[in-house]
Amino acid sequence: MTQKQLADAVLVSRQTINAIEQGEYNPTIKLCRAICRVLGKSLDDLFWEEDSDEETEK
């Protein structure tokens, strides 16, 4: 799915999707949930960031 297709599906601009991907924009929970719904993923799947300390302990 392209950024444009995702943006159209969740009613935002392609630039907004790009900014989210680049970590330059923090979307609202409403937008996060819409993105998850369209992509068939959970919030954890798409937006959870592993703590670098936890990764080094494993």
Coordinates of all heavy atoms in Angstrom, one line a residue:
M1 N 0.9 -1.2 0.0 CA 0.0 0.0 0.0 C 0.9 1.2 0.0 O 1.9 1.3 0.8 CB -0.9 0.0 1.2 CG -1.7 1.2 1.4 SD -2.9 1.1 2.8 CE -4.2 0.3 2.0
T2 N 0.6 2.2 -0.8 CA 1.4 3.4 -0.9 C 1.0 4.4 0.2 O -0.1 4.2 0.8 CB 1.2 4.1 -2.2 OG1 -0.2 4.6 -2.3 CG2 1.5 3.2 -3.4
Q3 N 1.8 5.3 0.5 CA 1.5 6.4 1.4 C 0.2 7.1 1.0 O -0.7 7.4 1.9 CB 2.6 7.4 1.6 CG 3.8 6.9 2.3 CD 4.9 8.0 2.4 OE1 4.8 9.0 1.7 NE2 5.9 7.7 3.2
K4 N 0.0 7.3 -0.3 CA -1.2 8.0 -0.8 C -2.4 7.2 -0.5 O -3.5 7.7 -0.1 CB -1.0 8.3 -2.3 CG -2.2 8.9 -3.0 CD -2.2 10.4 -2.9 CE -3.3 11.0 -3.8 NZ -4.6 11.2 -3.1
Q5 N -2.3 5.9 -0.8 CA -3.5 5.0 -0.6 C -3.9 5.0 0.9 O -5.1 5.0 1.2 CB -3.2 3.6 -1.1 CG -3.1 3.5 -2.6 CD -2.5 2.2 -3.1 OE1 -1.7 1.6 -2.4 NE2 -3.0 1.7 -4.2
L6 N -2.9 4.9 1.8 CA -3.2 4.9 3.2 C -3.8 6.2 3.6 O -4.8 6.2 4.4 CB -1.9 4.5 4.0 CG -2.1 4.5 5.5 CD1 -3.1 3.5 6.0 CD2 -0.7 4.2 6.2
A7 N -3.2 7.3 3.2 CA -3.7 8.6 3.5 C -5.1 8.8 3.1 O -5.9 9.3 3.9 CB -2.8 9.7 2.9
D8 N -5.4 8.4 1.9 CA -6.8 8.5 1.4 C -7.8 7.6 2.2 O -8.9 8.1 2.5 CB -6.9 8.0 -0.1 CG -6.3 9.0 -1.1 OD1 -5.9 10.2 -0.7 OD2 -6.0 8.6 -2.2
A9 N -7.3 6.5 2.7 CA -8.2 5.6 3.4 C -8.5 6.1 4.8 O -9.5 5.9 5.4 CB -7.5 4.2 3.6
V10 N -7.5 6.9 5.4 CA -7.7 7.4 6.8 C -8.0 8.9 6.8 O -8.0 9.6 7.8 CB -6.5 7.1 7.7 CG1 -6.4 5.6 7.9 CG2 -5.2 7.7 7.2
L11 N -8.2 9.5 5.6 CA -8.6 10.9 5.4 C -7.6 11.9 5.9 O -7.9 12.9 6.6 CB -10.0 11.1 6.0 CG -11.1 10.2 5.6 CD1 -12.4 10.4 6.3 CD2 -11.3 10.3 4.1
V12 N -6.3 11.7 5.6 CA -5.2 12.7 5.9 C -4.4 12.8 4.6 O -4.6 12.1 3.6 CB -4.3 12.2 7.1 CG1 -5.1 12.1 8.3 CG2 -3.6 10.9 6.8
S13 N -3.5 13.7 4.7 CA -2.6 13.9 3.5 C -1.5 12.9 3.4 O -1.1 12.3 4.5 CB -2.0 15.3 3.5 OG -1.0 15.4 4.6
R14 N -0.9 12.7 2.3 CA 0.2 11.8 2.1 C 1.4 12.3 3.0 O 2.2 11.6 3.5 CB 0.6 11.7 0.7 CG 1.8 10.7 0.4 CD 2.6 10.9 -0.8 NE 3.1 12.2 -0.9 CZ 4.3 12.6 -0.3 NH1 4.9 11.8 0.5 NH2 4.7 13.8 -0.4
Q15 N 1.5 13.7 3.0 CA 2.6 14.3 3.8 C 2.5 13.9 5.3 O 3.5 13.7 6.0 CB 2.6 15.8 3.6 CG 3.0 16.2 2.3 CD 1.9 16.2 1.2 OE1 0.8 15.8 1.4 NE2 2.2 16.7 0.0
T16 N 1.2 13.8 5.8 CA 1.0 13.4 7.2 C 1.5 12.0 7.4 O 2.2 11.7 8.4 CB -0.5 13.5 7.6 OG1 -0.8 14.9 7.5 CG2 -0.7 13.0 9.0
I17 N 1.2 11.1 6.5 CA 1.7 9.7 6.6 C 3.2 9.6 6.6 O 3.8 8.9 7.4 CB 1.1 8.8 5.5 CG1 -0.5 8.7 5.7 CG2 1.7 7.4 5.6 CD1 -1.0 8.2 7.0
N18 N 3.8 10.4 5.7 CA 5.2 10.4 5.6 C 5.9 10.9 6.9 O 6.8 10.4 7.4 CB 5.7 11.3 4.4 CG 7.1 11.3 4.2 OD1 7.8 10.3 4.0 ND2 7.8 12.5 4.3
A19 N 5.3 12.0 7.5 CA 5.8 12.6 8.7 C 5.7 11.6 9.9 O 6.6 11.5 10.7 CB 5.1 13.9 9.0
I20 N 4.6 10.8 9.9 CA 4.5 9.8 10.9 C 5.6 8.7 10.7 O 6.3 8.3 11.7 CB 3.1 9.1 10.9 CG1 2.0 10.1 11.2 CG2 3.0 7.8 11.7 CD1 0.6 9.6 10.9
E21 N 5.8 8.3 9.5 CA 6.8 7.3 9.2 C 8.2 7.8 9.6 O 9.1 7.0 10.1 CB 6.8 6.9 7.8 CG 5.7 6.0 7.4 CD 5.7 5.6 5.9 OE1 6.6 6.0 5.2 OE2 4.8 4.8 5.5
Q22 N 8.5 9.0 9.4 CA 9.8 9.6 9.7 C 10.0 10.0 11.2 O 11.0 10.4 11.6 CB 10.0 10.9 8.8 CG 10.0 10.6 7.4 CD 11.1 9.7 6.9 OE1 12.2 9.8 7.4 NE2 10.7 8.7 6.1
G23 N 8.9 9.9 12.0 CA 9.0 10.2 13.4 C 8.9 11.7 13.6 O 9.3 12.2 14.7
E24 N 8.4 12.4 12.7 CA 8.4 13.9 12.8 C 7.0 14.4 13.2 O 6.8 15.6 13.4 CB 8.7 14.5 11.4 CG 10.1 14.2 11.0 CD 10.4 14.6 9.6 OE1 9.5 15.0 8.9 OE2 11.6 14.4 9.2
Y25 N 6.0 13.5 13.3 CA 4.7 13.8 13.7 C 4.1 12.8 14.6 O 4.2 11.6 14.3 CB 3.8 14.0 12.4 CG 2.3 14.3 12.7 CD1 1.9 15.6 13.1 CD2 1.4 13.3 12.6 CE1 0.6 15.8 13.4 CE2 0.0 13.6 12.8 CZ -0.3 14.9 13.2 OH -1.7 15.1 13.4
N26 N 3.5 13.1 15.7 CA 2.9 12.2 16.6 C 1.3 12.2 16.3 O 0.7 13.2 16.7 CB 3.1 12.5 18.1 CG 4.6 12.3 18.4 OD1 5.2 11.3 18.0 ND2 5.2 13.2 19.2
P27 N 0.8 11.2 15.7 CA -0.6 11.2 15.4 C -1.5 11.1 16.6 O -1.0 10.5 17.7 CB -0.7 10.0 14.5 CG 0.4 9.1 14.9 CD 1.5 10.0 15.3
T28 N -2.7 11.5 16.5 CA -3.7 11.3 17.6 C -4.0 9.8 17.7 O -3.8 9.1 16.8 CB -5.0 12.1 17.3 OG1 -5.6 11.5 16.1 CG2 -4.8 13.6 17.1
I29 N -4.5 9.4 18.8 CA -4.9 8.0 19.0 C -6.0 7.7 18.0 O -6.0 6.5 17.5 CB -5.4 7.7 20.5 CG1 -5.5 6.2 20.7 CG2 -6.6 8.4 20.8 CD1 -4.2 5.5 20.7
K30 N -6.9 8.6 17.7 CA -7.9 8.4 16.7 C -7.3 8.0 15.3 O -7.7 7.1 14.7 CB -8.8 9.6 16.6 CG -10.0 9.4 15.6 CD -10.8 10.7 15.6 CE -12.0 10.5 14.6 NZ -12.8 11.7 14.6
L31 N -6.3 8.8 14.9 CA -5.6 8.5 13.6 C -4.9 7.2 13.7 O -4.9 6.4 12.8 CB -4.7 9.6 13.3 CG -3.9 9.5 12.0 CD1 -4.8 9.1 10.8 CD2 -3.1 10.7 11.7
C32 N -4.2 6.9 14.8 CA -3.5 5.6 15.0 C -4.4 4.5 14.8 O -4.1 3.5 14.2 CB -2.8 5.6 16.4 SG -1.4 6.7 16.6
R33 N -5.6 4.6 15.5 CA -6.6 3.5 15.4 C -7.1 3.3 14.0 O -7.3 2.2 13.5 CB -7.7 3.7 16.4 CG -7.3 3.6 17.8 CD -8.4 3.8 18.8 NE -9.3 2.7 18.7 CZ -10.6 2.8 18.9 NH1 -11.1 3.9 19.2 NH2 -11.3 1.7 18.8
A34 N -7.3 4.4 13.3 CA -7.7 4.3 11.9 C -6.7 3.7 11.0 O -7.0 2.8 10.2 CB -8.1 5.7 11.3
I35 N -5.4 4.0 11.2 CA -4.4 3.4 10.4 C -4.3 1.9 10.7 O -4.2 1.0 9.8 CB -3.0 4.0 10.7 CG1 -3.0 5.5 10.2 CG2 -1.8 3.2 10.2 CD1 -1.8 6.3 10.7
C36 N -4.4 1.5 12.0 CA -4.4 0.1 12.4 C -5.6 -0.7 11.7 O -5.4 -1.8 11.2 CB -4.5 0.0 13.9 SG -3.0 0.5 14.7
R37 N -6.7 -0.1 11.7 CA -7.9 -0.7 11.2 C -7.7 -1.0 9.7 O -8.0 -2.1 9.2 CB -9.1 0.2 11.4 CG -10.4 -0.6 11.5 CD -11.6 0.3 11.9 NE -11.4 1.5 12.2 CZ -11.2 2.5 13.2 NH1 -11.4 2.6 13.8 NH2 -11.0 3.5 13.5
V38 N -7.2 0.0 8.9 CA -7.0 -0.1 7.5 C -5.9 -1.2 7.2 O -6.1 -2.0 6.3 CB -6.6 1.2 6.9 CG1 -6.0 1.1 5.5 CG2 -7.7 2.2 6.9
L39 N -4.9 -1.2 8.0 CA -3.8 -2.2 7.8 C -4.0 -3.5 8.5 O -3.2 -4.5 8.2 CB -2.5 -1.6 8.3 CG -2.0 -0.3 7.5 CD1 -0.7 0.2 8.1 CD2 -1.9 -0.5 6.0
G40 N -5.1 -3.7 9.3 CA -5.3 -4.9 9.9 C -4.3 -5.3 11.0 O -3.9 -6.4 11.2
K41 N -3.8 -4.3 11.7 CA -2.7 -4.5 12.7 C -3.2 -3.9 14.0 O -4.1 -3.1 14.1 CB -1.4 -3.7 12.3 CG -0.9 -4.2 11.0 CD -0.2 -5.6 11.1 CE 0.5 -6.0 9.9 NZ 1.1 -7.3 10.0
S42 N -2.5 -4.3 15.1 CA -2.8 -3.7 16.4 C -1.9 -2.4 16.6 O -1.0 -2.2 15.9 CB -2.5 -4.7 17.5 OG -1.1 -4.9 17.6
L43 N -2.3 -1.7 17.6 CA -1.5 -0.5 18.0 C -0.1 -0.9 18.3 O 0.9 -0.2 17.9 CB -2.1 0.3 19.2 CG -3.3 1.1 18.9 CD1 -4.0 1.6 20.2 CD2 -3.0 2.3 18.0
D44 N 0.1 -2.0 19.1 CA 1.4 -2.5 19.4 C 2.2 -2.9 18.2 O 3.4 -2.6 18.1 CB 1.4 -3.7 20.3 CG 1.0 -3.3 21.8 OD1 1.1 -2.1 22.1 OD2 0.7 -4.2 22.6
D45 N 1.6 -3.5 17.2 CA 2.2 -3.9 16.0 C 2.9 -2.7 15.3 O 4.0 -2.8 14.8 CB 1.3 -4.6 15.0 CG 0.8 -6.0 15.4 OD1 1.5 -6.6 16.3 OD2 -0.2 -6.4 14.9
L46 N 2.1 -1.6 15.2 CA 2.6 -0.5 14.4 C 3.3 0.6 15.2 O 4.2 1.3 14.6 CB 1.4 0.2 13.7 CG 0.7 -0.7 12.7 CD1 -0.5 0.1 12.0 CD2 1.6 -1.2 11.6
F47 N 3.0 0.8 16.5 CA 3.5 2.0 17.1 C 4.4 1.7 18.4 O 4.9 2.6 19.0 CB 2.3 2.9 17.5 CG 1.6 3.5 16.3 CD1 0.4 2.9 15.9 CD2 2.1 4.5 15.6 CE1 -0.3 3.4 14.8 CE2 1.5 5.0 14.5 CZ 0.3 4.4 14.1
W48 N 4.5 0.4 18.8 CA 5.3 0.1 19.9 C 6.8 0.2 19.5 O 7.2 -0.3 18.5 CB 5.0 -1.3 20.4 CG 5.8 -1.6 21.7 CD1 6.9 -2.3 21.8 CD2 5.4 -1.2 23.0 NE1 7.3 -2.4 23.1 CE2 6.4 -1.7 23.9 CE3 4.4 -0.4 23.5 CZ2 6.4 -1.5 25.2 CZ3 4.4 -0.2 24.9 CH2 5.3 -0.7 25.7
E49 N 7.6 0.9 20.4 CA 9.0 1.0 20.2 C 9.7 0.2 21.3 O 9.4 0.5 22.4 CB 9.5 2.5 20.2 CG 9.0 3.3 19.0 CD 9.6 4.7 18.9 OE1 10.6 4.9 19.6 OE2 9.0 5.5 18.2
E50 N 10.6 -0.7 20.9 CA 11.4 -1.4 21.9 C 12.4 -0.5 22.6 O 13.0 0.4 21.9 CB 12.2 -2.5 21.2 CG 11.3 -3.7 20.7 CD 10.6 -4.4 21.8 OE1 11.2 -4.6 22.9 OE2 9.4 -4.9 21.6
D51 N 12.5 -0.6 23.9 CA 13.5 0.1 24.6 C 14.9 -0.5 24.3 O 15.1 -1.7 24.4 CB 13.2 0.0 26.1 CG 14.1 0.8 27.0 OD1 14.7 1.8 26.5 OD2 14.2 0.5 28.2
S52 N 15.8 0.4 24.0 CA 17.1 -0.1 23.6 C 17.8 -0.9 24.7 O 18.6 -1.8 24.5 CB 18.0 1.0 23.1 OG 18.2 2.0 24.1
D53 N 17.5 -0.5 26.0 CA 18.1 -1.3 27.1 C 17.5 -2.7 27.2 O 18.3 -3.6 27.5 CB 17.8 -0.5 28.5 CG 18.6 0.8 28.6 OD1 19.6 0.9 27.9 OD2 18.1 1.7 29.3
E54 N 16.3 -2.8 26.9 CA 15.6 -4.2 27.0 C 16.3 -5.1 25.9 O 16.5 -6.2 26.1 CB 14.1 -4.1 26.7 CG 13.4 -3.5 27.9 CD 11.9 -3.4 27.6 OE1 11.4 -3.9 26.6 OE2 11.2 -2.8 28.4
E55 N 16.5 -4.5 24.7 CA 17.1 -5.3 23.6 C 18.5 -5.8 24.0 O 18.9 -6.9 23.6 CB 17.1 -4.5 22.3 CG 15.7 -4.3 21.8 CD 15.8 -3.5 20.5 OE1 16.9 -3.3 19.9 OE2 14.7 -3.0 20.0
T56 N 19.3 -5.0 24.7 CA 20.7 -5.4 25.0 C 20.7 -6.4 26.1 O 21.6 -7.1 26.2 CB 21.5 -4.2 25.4 OG1 20.9 -3.5 26.5 CG2 21.7 -3.2 24.2
E57 N 19.6 -6.4 27.0 CA 19.6 -7.4 28.1 C 19.2 -8.8 27.6 O 19.5 -9.7 28.3 CB 18.5 -6.9 29.1 CG 19.0 -5.7 29.8 CD 17.9 -5.1 30.8 OE1 16.9 -5.8 31.0 OE2 18.1 -4.1 31.4
K58 N 18.6 -8.9 26.4 CA 18.1 -10.2 25.9 C 19.2 -11.1 25.4 O 20.2 -10.8 25.0 CB 17.1 -10.0 24.8 CG 15.8 -9.4 25.4 CD 14.8 -9.3 24.3 CE 13.5 -8.7 24.9 NZ 12.5 -8.4 23.9

